[in-house]
Amino acid sequence: MADEQTQQALETEPQPPSPTLSEEFGGDFIIYNRPPIKEVCLAFLLLALGALGIIVGSWMTYNKVWGDRSHGISFIILGILLFIPGFHESRIAYFASLGTKTSHSPIFQQSSPPHLCDALYIMNLPIC
């Protein structure tokens, strides 16, 4: 009798989505289907810090801060090293949020926007 009541209580209560084991990689780890908010924030942080490093480094090089241009060039190089991965990852996150298919696995599942070649084909311009 108690088992039936427990079973009925479990069936009526909403259960949170359980993580699934990855069949593709042998099922050794758990995949949570959540948006990667921390990774996207890190990508935009790298992008912003890289752009700031390039701007500040350019200003330091132009004004010869601390007597020479080497400090400014160092800031520019560090800014570029931060900007490139930040731009790459934020670009992937942006296009994934639009639902565009890329070579990377999609981050967000949404409908894909119409492609330019589709619009040109509708207008009887088979350019693509």
Side-chain angles (χ1 to χ4, degrees):
M1 184 78 175
D3 292 332
E4 293 175 10
Q5 291 175 350
T6 307
Q7 185 66 23
Q8 288 176 353
L10 289 175
E11 289 175 1
T12 57
E13 292 179 11
Q15 298 293 326
S18 62
T20 59
L21 288 176
S22 170
E23 298 295 328
E24 183 178 350
F25 296 108
D28 292 338
F29 60 94
I30 297 174
I31 297 175
Y32 293 97
N33 293 323
R34 296 184 205 152
I37 295 172
K38 291 179 185 177
E39 290 83 358
V40 172
C41 290
L42 177 64
F44 282 108
L45 180 69
L46 286 173
L47 180 71
L49 288 176
L52 184 67
I54 292 170
I55 292 168
V56 169
S58 299
W59 178 80
M60 288 173 67
T61 303
Y62 180 75
N63 290 323
K64 294 183 181 178
V65 176
W66 293 313
D68 60 353
R69 296 177 189 253
S70 64
H71 293 91
I73 293 171
S74 300
F75 266 73
I76 291 172
I77 292 171
L78 289 174
I80 289 171
L81 289 176
L82 290 174
F83 184 82
I84 290 173
F87 176 76
H88 177 71
E89 294 298 326
S90 60
R91 181 181 166 275
I92 290 172
Y94 172 72
F95 283 117
S97 68
L98 293 178
T100 306
K101 301 288 184 189
T102 61
S103 61
H104 305 280
S105 60
I107 296 174
F108 304 104
Q109 297 290 331
Q110 293 180 356
S111 62
S112 62
H115 194 264
L116 177 64
C117 290
D118 297 335
L120 292 174
Y121 182 76
I122 291 171
M123 295 186 306
N124 293 326
L125 299 171
I127 296 172
C128 296

